[in-house]
Amino acid sequence: MPALADALAETSQIELGIATNIPDCVWSKKEINNKIYFSIPVPRRGINYRTLPASLIEDYQRAVNEFRPDIIHVHGTEYFHGLLTGRRHIDYPSVISIQGIIDVYKEYYWGGISFSDLVKSRTLRDWLRADGLIEQKIRWHQRAKWEREIFTSNNAFIGRTQWDRAYTRQINPAARYYHCDELLRKPFYEAHWNLDHVQRYRIYAPSASYPIKGFHTLIKAVSLLKREFPDIIVRTPLAGFYIKDKGIKRLWKNLRSVGYNKYLNDLIEKEGVGAHVSSLGVITAEEVAQELTKAHVFVLPSFIENSPNSLAEAMMVGTPSVVSFVGGVPSMVQDGVTALCFPPGNAAKLAEQIRKLFLDDDLAIRLSIAAHNIAEQRHAKDKITEQILLIYSSVISKLKIS
């Protein structure tokens, strides 16, 4: 979104206003770098989507009435913003970009983890907050109801894959669907993978945050590979690994941790791969790009995705990728040409695809070049900016005609 905002602001055809909800802030308006920002207060305790708070509606209406846009571009169907346009609280021409689709994602939330393992992984923190993996999936089912309303009550969407197009047609056949790829952040256009500069047997994975991202599948694959490749290492951001802690310290972290984090730490210990996984903490776009240039392989083990930015970034950099063949991923890669694919949750097949890249430099280089060439075309700044402007014009004109 920031990359697209900057590209639009650089044109002479767009005056851009950005409304962002921030917990417990004060409504404000400020111009920064030729963009007008509206800060919209929301309560930290959450929002009842059935009846959106009157104050929230009024604050968004105030921003819209002050800016008086020709069109409103909502990013994502996961939150309440599409309800503002769908329920006509804000009655301007509008289009919604599809990111993930909770209505589908919810079925994969546990990532193939058995219910008994989910229960074993519950922590004191999960019990006290009523915020374990079971409750989280229940909330996703609740959110999916409101997301379906967003899809059925709005009439124009922007998507990027055959998968999100098919879902849109299924739930709202009358909606207009526009295809437009996404811009990436600047560091990923500048970084370039080169086999001579990588750390051999180093893997970068984009997330270990919750089961749907499939990091537990990667742990099992690493367990299968560690004997043949004793130097194998997986690096990922924001993971709370504490496998080295023992005794009371380990028990304390088990109690305070989220359930999936405890599950991962127990699995890492069980599979004996503590020396082969590393958490990077919070890292910037520049640091992600550097991780991609130094990794031998990028792995996306998710159980469901639409068009993940992490894969787009890896392809742009040219990092050879192994990806689960799910959701919209088939619209992004061609198996054996721009990436190697595997069935979600299949650790043995994932291990075999990683092994191929570790052993076959020619294959890794071919995938790298092909992926970069496709990504360079797909995420071209001028092309995407032009497409967005054409979509805006189409949405505005069709509303006027109707």
Side-chain angles (χ1 to χ4, degrees), residues 130-148:
D131 187 34
L133 293 173
I134 295 172
E135 292 90 346
Q136 289 167 15
K137 183 174 182 179
I138 291 171
R139 283 196 288 271
W140 273 37
H141 276 264
Q142 294 168 340
R143 289 173 63 188
K145 175 182 178 180
W146 309 118
E147 184 184 58
R148 287 193 294 272

Side-chain angles (χ1 to χ4, degrees), residues 39-51:
S39 296
I40 311 296
V42 292
R44 288 189 182 275
R45 64 181 180 275
I47 295 171
N48 182 351
Y49 283 27
R50 183 183 301 276
T51 55

Side-chain angles (χ1 to χ4, degrees), residues 79-121:
Y79 297 102
F80 64 84
H81 304 87
L83 296 175
L84 293 170
T85 53
R87 294 174 181 175
R88 302 299 182 265
H89 296 305
I90 297 175
D91 198 9
Y92 280 74
S94 62
V95 63
I96 300 179
S97 282
I98 304 168
Q99 297 175 348
I101 302 178
I102 290 177
D103 191 29
V104 181
Y105 282 24
K106 68 182 190 300
E107 304 301 332
Y108 301 87
Y109 190 85
W110 290 336
I113 299 174
S114 68
F115 188 78
S116 62
D117 282 339
L118 291 173
V119 174
K120 291 176 187 175
S121 299

Side-chain angles (χ1 to χ4, degrees), residues 385-397:
T385 304
E386 181 181 356
Q387 286 178 331
I388 284 289
L389 293 175
L390 289 173
I391 291 169
Y392 289 169
S393 295
S394 174
V395 173
I396 293 168
S397 64

Side-chain angles (χ1 to χ4, degrees), residues 209-259:
S209 55
Y210 53 117
I212 206 169
K213 295 298 182 180
F215 194 81
H216 50 289
T217 304
L218 180 55
I219 289 174
K220 295 173 184 177
V222 170
S223 179
L224 297 173
L225 292 166
K226 64 182 180 180
R227 288 187 180 178
E228 186 175 2
F229 306 102
D231 294 329
I232 189 172
I233 184 75
V234 177
R235 291 163 66 86
T236 189
L238 292 173
F241 301 139
Y242 49 85
I243 188 65
K244 295 180 182 179
D245 294 327
K246 304 296 181 183
I248 294 177
K249 192 173 182 180
R250 176 70 178 268
L251 176 62
W252 177 241
K253 289 191 176 180
N254 273 341
L255 293 173
R256 296 180 61 212
S257 181
V258 297

Side-chain angles (χ1 to χ4, degrees), residues 180-230:
C180 187
D181 293 302
E182 288 192 320
L183 284 173
L184 305 179
R185 292 169 290 179
K186 186 177 179 181
F188 301 102
Y189 293 92
E190 299 173 340
H192 301 287
W193 184 88
N194 185 317
L195 184 60
D196 294 333
H197 299 152
V198 307
Q199 179 182 330
R200 290 275 176 169
Y201 317 129
R202 176 163 153 177
I203 295 169
Y204 178 75
S207 178
S209 55
Y210 53 117
I212 206 169
K213 295 298 182 180
F215 194 81
H216 50 289
T217 304
L218 180 55
I219 289 174
K220 295 173 184 177
V222 170
S223 179
L224 297 173
L225 292 166
K226 64 182 180 180
R227 288 187 180 178
E228 186 175 2
F229 306 102

